[in-house]
């Protein structure tokens, strides 16, 4: 039985009222979630309101746990921030831990402190009392963090090497001996049969499961002469996984192609496919791409829909000033907002966060994407299909007849799309889109390169956000050190006293971050809000440098200085910043770098 709970008063109010008080959700968000909940009940499901809000990406798992804890008088515990006594865990069979979604934290004076996901699971508390003989003191935590901890503890999910080893050991010898040249001679019947072998199925499942558990964004399966290389992109950096025998490449890749609905008989040209799966109660979409290479086809699986916690711009890493200015931009009734940066810099995530914040029953929001990366309830999402004639431009024309309030165009790639996006914004719609440029000022010259008339660019664009992603240094193992004057100068930070030093952090590596020294990623930004003076420069076809100088005079913080702020407050490291950002801008621009550390933003992957 549960006795002597921590003294936390229950809150008798409905959970919706507690959510509104303690999170960013509004009454309209709750009403929308109730509408989705009613629809799901008609389909035979009974989703709690908190789960619906998480699916709509308006609250996080942590928000849910904290608010349920307030309602039922249970303090919230972050498993990443507490020491767990493994002797306490050993007192409870693993199947009970997983069945009841609980984790013993410690035992003192015959009292067991227990992290639990469901505060109403009285059976779990009573059963653990019977099994251990201890009084149980429950605390509430999130299901994701508890499952991740149990997986790390038991070696499941985060360490699939033993599964991969077992699967490759069980493969028939004939498959293991097949070279890349011989594999090309396998008949379709033989290849199809090989993909249905249980060891191949288990091997592919283990490869994908390992990627999901490691929060990888991409999985690479790359045949080579001596082996089949498996790599995982975690926090933007590729890491080697367990190597496979070279002979299993063809059956494994064919299995991936089969479940992705690709043509296994065609290996001479690139193909695209997709598959959906469910793991630990969460849905994932995987986009699959195959490409012929000298040793056989290489396959890359991109994992989408992993992070449902990015419900608003608050979690992206904005400074307080930039976040306020960006939220003012997306609140405008019309205009074109551009997010720029290279591939993999988090542009789509920023747009999704903005749309999540704008999503409400009063607004008709339409997105045009290639492909759809996250499915968001309440939005009309359209995936382009060039073979069928669905391009960004053609769909955007049709969207205008659908009475939209807000339109998101996945990417502006050509003159026609750029013109239509600008014209759409001038007809009373808010349009959000992306461009590939190195900085915010370069967006205007990029539009000119696309032969967009200066008057259209000046009239339609109301703001440009440039961004990159840097890895967050692991809070568990980071090491503090005093930076030298030379290092500070390289950052563009000039102490008043030549002998002055500043405390920074470097990555180390531990079990929490799987030895990388980093855990998650965060955005670094520079934001231009278009003013009348900037419009005049665009009309005059002034180069990006002139526009940039004027934006700096008007208070823009350049990306290099934003990342310096995150270094000074211990969010990331100098090495990581130099890997991603051209910090030398800080020394060449007219803007003053930050002299004091900015408040640390939320350390979340964007």
């Amino acid at each position: 039985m549960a006795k002597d709970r921590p003294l936390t008063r229950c809150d008798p109010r409905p959970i919706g009222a507690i959510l509104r008080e303690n999170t960013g959700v509004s009454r309209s968000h709750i009403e929308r979630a109730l509408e989705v909940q009613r629809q799901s009940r008609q389909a035979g499901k009974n989703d709690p309101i908190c789960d619906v809000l998480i699916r709509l990406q308006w609250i996080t798992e942590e928000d849910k746990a904290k608010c349920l804890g307030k309602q039922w008088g249970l303090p919230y515990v972050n498993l990443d921030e507490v020491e767990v006594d493994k002797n306490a865990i050993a007192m409870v069979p693993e199947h009970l831990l997983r069945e009841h979604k609980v984790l013993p934290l410690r035992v003192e004076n015959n009292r067991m402190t227990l992290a639990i996901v469901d505060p109403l699971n009285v059976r779990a508390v009573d059963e653990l009392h019977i099994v251990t003989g201890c009084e149980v003191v429950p605390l509430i935590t999130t299901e994701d963090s508890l499952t991740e901890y149990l997986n790390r503890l038991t070696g499941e999910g985060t360490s699939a090497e033993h599964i991969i080893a077992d699967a490759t050991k069980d493969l028939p010898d004939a498959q293991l001996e097949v070279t890349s040249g011989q594999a090309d001679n396998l008949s379709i019947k033989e290849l199809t049969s090989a993909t249905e072998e249980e060891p191949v199925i288990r091997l592919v499942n283990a490869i994908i499961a390992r990627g999901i558990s490691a929060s990888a964004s991409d999985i690479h399966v790359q045949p080579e002469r001596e082996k089949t290389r498996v790599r995982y992109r975690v926090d933007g950096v590729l890491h080697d996984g367990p190597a496979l025998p070279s002979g299993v490449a063809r059956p494994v890749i064919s299995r991936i192609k089969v479940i992705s609905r690709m043509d296994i008989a065609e290996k001479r040209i690139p193909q695209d496919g997709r598959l959906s799966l469910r793991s630990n109660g969460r849905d994932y979409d995987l986009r699959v791409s195959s490409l012929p290479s000298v040793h056989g086809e290489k396959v890359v699986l991109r994992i989408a829909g992993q992070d449902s916690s990015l419900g608003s711009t608050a979690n992206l890493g904005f400074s307080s000033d930039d976040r306020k200015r960006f939220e003012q931009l997306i609140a405008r009734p019309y205009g074109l907002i551009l997010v720029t940066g290279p591939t993999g810099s988090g542009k789509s995530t920023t747009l999704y966060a903005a749309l999540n914040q704008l999503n409400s029953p009063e607004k008709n929001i339409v997105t045009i994407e290639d492909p759809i990366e996250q499915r968001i309830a309440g939005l009309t999402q359209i995936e382009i299909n060039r073979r069928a004639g669905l391009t960004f431009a053609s769909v955007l024309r049709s969207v205008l007849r659908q009475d939209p309030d807000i339109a998101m165009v996945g990417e502006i790639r050509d003159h026609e799309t750029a013109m239509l996006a600008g014209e759409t914004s001038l007809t009373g719609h808010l349009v959000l889109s992306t461009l590939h440029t190195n900085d915010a000022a370069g967006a205007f010259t990029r539009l000119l390169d696309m032969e967009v008339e200066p008057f259209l660019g000046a009239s339609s664009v109301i703001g440009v956000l440039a961004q990159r992603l840097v890895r967050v240094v692991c809070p568990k193992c980071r090491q503090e050190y005093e930076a030298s004057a030379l290092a500070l100068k390289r950052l563009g930070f000039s102490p008043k006293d030549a002998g002055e030093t500043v405390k920074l952090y470097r990555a180390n590596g531990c079990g929490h971050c799987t030895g990388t020294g980093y855990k998650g990623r965060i955005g670094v930004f520079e934001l231009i809000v278009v003013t009348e003076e900037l419009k005049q420069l665009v009309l005059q076809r002034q180069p990006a440098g002139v526009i940039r100088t004027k934006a700096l005079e008007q208070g823009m913080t350049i990306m290099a200085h934003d990342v310096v702020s995150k270094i000074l407050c211990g969010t990331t490291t100098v090495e990581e910043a130099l890997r991603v950002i051209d910090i030398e801008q800080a020394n060449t621009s007219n803007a003053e770098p930050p002299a004091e550390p900015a408040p640390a933003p939320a350390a979340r992957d964007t």
Side-chain angles (χ1 to χ4, degrees):
M1 63 178 63
K3 293 183 179 179
D4 298 330
R5 285 184 177 179
L7 296 177
T8 302
R9 183 176 297 176
C10 296
D11 191 330
R13 293 178 297 165
I15 190 64
I18 300 173
L19 286 165
R20 289 200 306 273
E21 181 179 295
N22 294 278
T23 71
V25 298
S26 63
R27 185 178 296 275
S28 63
H29 289 140
I30 298 292
E31 291 172 354
R32 172 60 180 160
L34 290 171
E35 180 185 339
V36 173
Q37 187 185 50
R38 285 192 293 269
Q39 293 171 356
S40 67
R41 283 177 178 168
Q42 293 173 0
K45 298 180 180 179
N46 189 22
D47 295 332
I49 187 68
C50 286
D51 291 347
V52 175
L53 287 165
I54 290 172
R55 195 164 69 243
L56 292 170
Q57 300 185 346
W58 285 331
I59 67 169
T60 66
E61 289 278 358
E62 187 175 326
D63 292 333
K64 169 189 170 181
K66 288 180 176 178
C67 291
L68 286 176
K70 286 180 180 293
Q71 188 177 43
W72 294 101
L74 298 182
Y76 169 77
V77 59
N78 186 337
L79 296 182
D80 289 334
E81 298 177 355
V82 296
E83 290 188 14
V84 181
D85 185 355
K86 293 189 178 180
N87 292 326
I89 298 175
M91 296 174 66
V92 183
E94 183 188 338
H95 74 274
L96 288 182
L97 300 179
R98 293 190 179 276
E99 178 185 344
H100 294 307
K101 299 177 182 176
V102 296
L103 181 70
L105 302 179
R106 59 185 175 273
V107 175
E108 297 173 347
N109 301 322
N110 207 37
R111 298 171 66 208
M112 174 178 283
T113 303
L114 183 76
I116 188 169
V117 171
D118 183 1
L120 299 181
N121 192 349
V122 179
R123 178 169 163 260
V125 174
D126 289 343
E127 193 162 344
L128 263 68
H129 171 65
I130 294 171
V131 169
T132 64
C134 297
E135 297 174 1
V136 178
V137 181
L139 309 175
I140 194 166
T141 191
T142 64
E143 182 174 354
D144 284 350
S145 63
L146 189 141
T147 301
E148 182 182 351
Y149 191 94
L150 289 177
N151 286 343
R152 290 203 307 267
L153 187 71
T154 60
E156 293 184 17
T158 56
S159 179
E161 286 86 349
H162 64 289
I163 303 175
I164 293 174
D166 287 344
T168 53
K169 178 184 65 177
D170 293 339
L171 284 170
D173 291 340
Q175 285 188 15
L176 291 175
E177 294 171 358
V178 170
T179 65
S180 59
Q182 291 170 323
D184 291 340
N185 297 323
L186 289 174
S187 69
I188 299 304
K189 183 178 180 180
E190 291 171 328
L191 199 54
T192 303
S193 176
T195 66
E196 295 173 355
E197 292 283 345
E198 183 182 353
V200 175
I201 294 173
R202 288 195 291 119
L203 179 55
V204 171
N205 291 348
I207 290 170
I208 296 174
R210 190 180 194 275
I212 290 175
S213 298
S215 299
S217 60
D218 301 88
I219 304 172
H220 294 238
V221 182
Q222 180 177 336
E224 297 180 354
R225 182 182 295 277
E226 303 295 334
K227 63 182 178 180
T228 301
R229 197 175 184 189
V230 180
R231 293 187 291 173
Y232 299 89
R233 188 175 295 279
V234 180
D235 294 336
V237 178
L238 278 172
H239 301 276
D240 277 325
L244 308 179
S246 60
V248 307
R250 188 72 190 279
V252 165
I253 289 172
S254 295
R255 172 65 185 170
I256 293 171
K257 290 174 70 175
V258 166
I259 61 179
S260 306
R261 299 183 180 179
M262 297 160 70
D263 184 359
I264 64 170
E266 181 57 75
K267 56 184 181 294
R268 298 166 299 177
I269 61 174
Q271 293 188 64
D272 294 311
R274 71 185 313 157
L275 65 106
S276 299
L277 56 88
R278 189 172 182 82
S279 177
N280 291 328
R282 181 177 294 178
D283 294 318
Y284 298 91
D285 287 325
L286 277 71
R287 303 202 318 265
V288 184
S289 170
S290 70
L291 188 69
S293 72
V294 66
H295 295 297
E297 286 182 288
K298 176 185 176 181
V299 168
V300 175
L301 302 90
R302 167 150 290 190
I303 304 172
Q306 286 216 142
D307 193 2
S308 62
S309 64
L310 298 174
S312 74
T313 57
N315 298 324
L316 298 178
F318 281 112
S319 67
S320 56
D321 287 343
D322 278 349
R323 179 188 168 194
K324 180 179 179 181
R325 294 197 299 159
F326 185 69
E327 290 181 345
Q328 288 173 344
L329 277 177
I330 64 176
R332 292 194 190 181
Y334 57 87
L336 175 60
I337 299 173
L338 297 172
V339 181
T340 77
T343 301
S345 59
K347 300 186 298 295
S348 296
T349 300
T350 298
L351 291 181
Y352 279 128
L355 293 178
N356 287 338
Q357 200 157 315
L358 295 170
N359 193 6
S360 69
E362 296 83 19
K363 292 186 176 71
N364 177 23
I365 303 176
V366 182
T367 72
I368 310 167
E369 305 175 59
D370 179 27
I372 295 171
E373 296 185 20
Q374 292 185 31
R375 289 172 170 81
I376 303 177
L379 273 60
T380 302
Q381 295 178 272
I382 305 163
E383 186 165 291
I384 71 167
N385 185 341
R386 290 183 180 82
R387 292 183 180 179
L390 286 176
T391 63
F392 283 117
S394 64
V395 175
L396 187 53
R397 287 195 188 91
S398 300
V399 162
L400 291 175
R401 296 191 286 273
Q402 291 284 314
D403 185 33
D405 296 294
I406 300 168
M408 191 268 271
V409 181
E411 184 181 353
I412 294 178
R413 300 177 179 175
D414 52 45
H415 168 76
E416 187 178 13
T417 307
M419 292 290 291
L420 282 170
E423 291 168 357
T424 300
S425 69
L426 292 179
T427 56
H429 307 86
L430 182 66
V431 181
L432 296 88
S433 190
T434 69
L435 272 179
H436 287 287
T437 64
N438 289 327
D439 58 13
F444 299 98
T445 54
R446 179 76 181 112
L447 291 175
L448 292 176
D449 291 340
M450 291 181 181
E451 299 182 353
V452 174
E453 292 297 329
F455 76 87
L456 182 59
S459 303
S460 61
V461 179
I462 60 174
V464 182
L465 178 74
Q467 68 177 75
R468 299 289 190 279
L469 293 177
V470 294
R471 291 181 293 172
V472 176
V473 65
C474 177
K476 297 283 188 180
C477 63
R478 66 182 185 177
Q479 293 182 336
E480 186 178 271
Y481 70 99
E482 290 187 347
S484 65
L486 181 62
L488 295 175
K489 185 177 180 181
R490 191 177 182 190
L491 289 173
F493 181 87
S494 302
K496 296 177 182 178
D497 182 1
E500 183 182 346
T501 59
V502 172
K503 290 182 179 180
L504 303 180
Y505 293 89
R506 63 167 59 96
N508 186 23
C510 64
H512 178 67
C513 59
T514 62
T516 64
Y518 298 92
K519 186 75 172 178
R521 287 187 294 175
I522 201 166
V524 290
F525 305 94
E526 63 181 34
L527 175 63
I528 290 180
V529 177
V530 178
T531 61
E532 288 300 323
E533 293 90 342
L534 290 175
K535 286 183 181 181
Q536 291 301 317
L537 295 178
V538 175
L539 286 171
Q540 297 166 15
R541 296 179 178 266
Q542 293 291 341
V546 176
I547 296 173
R548 178 186 179 85
T549 300
K550 177 58 69 174
L552 287 168
E553 292 174 2
Q554 296 179 348
M556 178 185 78
T557 299
I558 66 172
M559 202 181 302
H561 291 167
D562 189 32
V563 79
V564 167
S565 294
K566 291 178 171 65
I567 293 170
L568 294 175
C569 70
T571 301
T572 191
T573 65
V574 175
E575 294 78 14
E576 176 65 8
L578 293 173
R579 184 183 70 86
V580 177
I581 308 292
D582 182 10
I583 291 191
E584 298 303 327
Q585 296 177 71
N587 296 325
T588 58
S589 70
N590 295 324
E592 287 295 325
E596 298 292 337
R604 300 200 180 179
D605 189 342
T606 59

